[in-house]
Amino acid sequence: MSRVEVALGDRSYAIDIMAGALDRAGDLLAPFARRGRFAIVTDEAVAQAQLGRLTASLDAAGIAHAAIILPSGEATKSWASLERVTDWLLDREVERNDNIIALGGGVIGDLTGFAASILKRGCGFVQVPTTLLSQVDSSVGGKTAINARAGKNLIGSFYQPAYVLIDPATLDTLPAREVRAGYAEVVKYGLIDDAGFFGWCEANAPALLAGNADAREHAIHRSVAAKAAIVGEDERETSGRRALLNLGHTFGHALEAETGFSDRLLHGEAVAAGMALAFAFSARMGLCPAEDAARVAAHLSAVGLPATLADAGVAASGRALVAHMMHDKKMEGGRLPFLLARGIGRTFLAKDVDLAEVAAFLDEAR
């Protein structure tokens, strides 16, 4: 087992990574089972693939449990699901000092974390992420949210988990497309500030995507350690450091909105296209070498991720995509900060981007 610590004073917590960890979850989660029980939130796909492993381990440890199983998919991050989950938790008489288990991908983790943050003004929760995207990104750092008509993740809170337990073996049950989508959040850490890790990704992505256990564990540990360090420095994005984690997301969320937050374009696929667009826009503005932007797009394409608007299946005008961006939660004073790049591993936050130039660039990119 490898461990990463998120250093946040009295809200610090551990992230444990180990293949087969779900089969030992009873022992590993026992310290968080106040009153010897857990309420579990999961979805239909994860319940079929992984819930039995978790509950068998809890049974072996003598820990009582009950589970609510929600529909799979982005549509579950909704007011209706939040109401359903909180009512169910209240029916289970969950108390402030109890911990809820979020078993699933980013949708379940975000929804459960938000429910925990508001239930009785805050109870505990632990993350047991089962997708690559949630293991390397959304389970760490305490961002919780649901979606609204106006856009993605617009209603939520910063609320840290008590513990994160990552079992890379859960990836073996995922469709290849889901693993590829999660890989976008892995390669992001190299593009932000670690050109050496991007080079590792270029060399090892085929093995990781094919199921090589060593490659997967290395990528997960490296990604989690990178995110934990940034969150420890800037938990609530007050200094701008944590904003770097949004690379690709401003473009990507607009693409998701245009495709109806549906399976037409998974979140990781949108982030991949968004990162390629961010580098291409940076090159167009003379900030980034064109060869670096081309290298990023080539790598994403090589692993089967979208690197262009056409790859993402988006034909909307630049004006329409910018209109989606106007609902971004990072909008401040009528200006939208963008994550741009001076090269691979040299991402920075730009607060003076002209949205008319972004629209023109997106029209050219079509």
Side-chain angles (χ1 to χ4, degrees):
M1 181 185 295
S2 64
R3 170 168 285 195
V4 174
E5 298 279 352
V6 181
L8 291 169
D10 60 1
R11 291 173 296 104
S12 297
Y13 55 94
I15 304 161
D16 284 335
I17 307 161
M18 183 183 70
L22 205 54
D23 301 309
R24 291 184 51 197
D27 292 333
L28 295 168
L29 295 175
F32 305 94
R34 183 175 174 269
R35 299 187 293 159
R37 65 178 193 169
F38 279 120
I40 304 166
V41 182
T42 190
D43 67 30
E44 292 165 352
V46 176
Q48 183 174 2
Q50 308 295 347
L51 182 58
R53 293 177 61 202
L54 173 61
T55 56
S57 185
L58 295 177
D59 287 340
I63 298 172
H65 51 82
I68 182 172
I69 301 173
L70 303 173
S72 301
E74 189 71 24
T76 291
K77 281 177 61 170
S78 66
W79 282 113
S81 295
L82 181 66
E83 182 179 20
R84 180 180 171 188
V85 168
T86 51
D87 281 344
W88 180 81
L89 292 170
L90 291 170
D91 288 343
R92 305 280 84 71
E93 299 182 350
V94 170
E95 298 180 357
R96 277 187 175 182
N97 292 323
D98 290 341
N99 281 293
I100 306 161
I101 295 177
L103 175 69
V107 168
I108 291 298
D110 283 3
L111 172 66
T112 305
F114 187 39
S117 76
I118 61 175
L119 192 79
K120 298 184 176 179
R121 298 195 176 96
C123 62
F125 79 112
V126 297
Q127 290 270 20
V128 185
T130 59
T131 65
L132 183 57
L133 189 148
S134 60
Q135 289 174 356
V136 302
D137 184 62
S138 61
S139 67
V140 179
K143 282 188 175 180
T144 74
I146 58 172
N147 300 332
R149 285 196 304 271
K152 188 178 176 73
N153 295 333
L154 295 181
I155 302 157
S157 60
F158 286 95
Y159 197 70
Q160 300 295 338
Y163 177 59
V164 182
L165 181 63
I166 297 175
D167 182 354
T170 61
L171 305 183
D172 295 337
T173 65
L174 290 181
R177 183 187 178 195
E178 290 276 359
V179 179
R180 282 196 305 272
Y183 174 73
E185 295 281 6
V186 172
V187 76
K188 178 186 75 175
Y189 294 104
L191 295 176
I192 289 172
D193 62 1
D194 192 344
F197 184 53
F198 180 74
W200 181 92
C201 288
E202 288 179 306
N204 292 278
L208 186 158
L209 295 173
N212 181 278
D214 289 340
R216 285 183 173 179
E217 289 194 34
H218 177 80
I220 292 168
H221 183 95
R222 187 83 170 258
S223 300
V224 165
K227 183 163 188 180
I230 290 174
V231 170
E233 294 176 21
D234 182 21
E235 180 183 6
R236 294 174 176 262
E237 290 187 12
T238 54
S239 74
R241 175 69 174 155
R242 183 166 181 169
L244 297 177
L245 296 170
N246 294 320
L247 175 63
H249 285 63
T250 300
F251 285 106
H253 284 170
L255 303 183
E256 286 186 275
E258 185 62 28
T259 52
F261 299 105
S262 69
D263 287 347
R264 286 176 54 195
L265 189 69
L266 300 180
H267 175 66
E269 293 169 338
V271 169
M275 291 189 297
L277 289 168
F279 270 79
F281 182 67
S282 298
R284 182 183 186 272
M285 299 297 291
L287 300 168
C288 171
E291 54 267 29
D292 279 13
R295 184 179 164 194
V296 171
H299 177 60
L300 295 172
S301 295
V303 300
L305 286 168
T308 66
L309 291 175
D311 292 344
V314 173
S317 69
R319 178 179 293 182
L321 292 174
V322 166
H324 290 306
M325 294 178 188
M326 297 297 289
H327 294 293
D328 194 292
K329 58 186 174 296
K330 298 180 291 298
M331 184 72 72
E332 184 176 348
R335 305 290 290 184
L336 180 60
F338 276 77
L339 272 298
L340 301 179
R342 296 187 177 91
I344 290 171
R346 300 176 62 202
T347 296
F348 70 98
L349 183 65
K351 296 186 177 181
D352 57 352
V353 174
D354 186 337
L355 290 178
E357 290 190 15
V358 175
F361 160 74
L362 289 169
D363 283 331
E364 291 173 8
R366 283 195 298 155

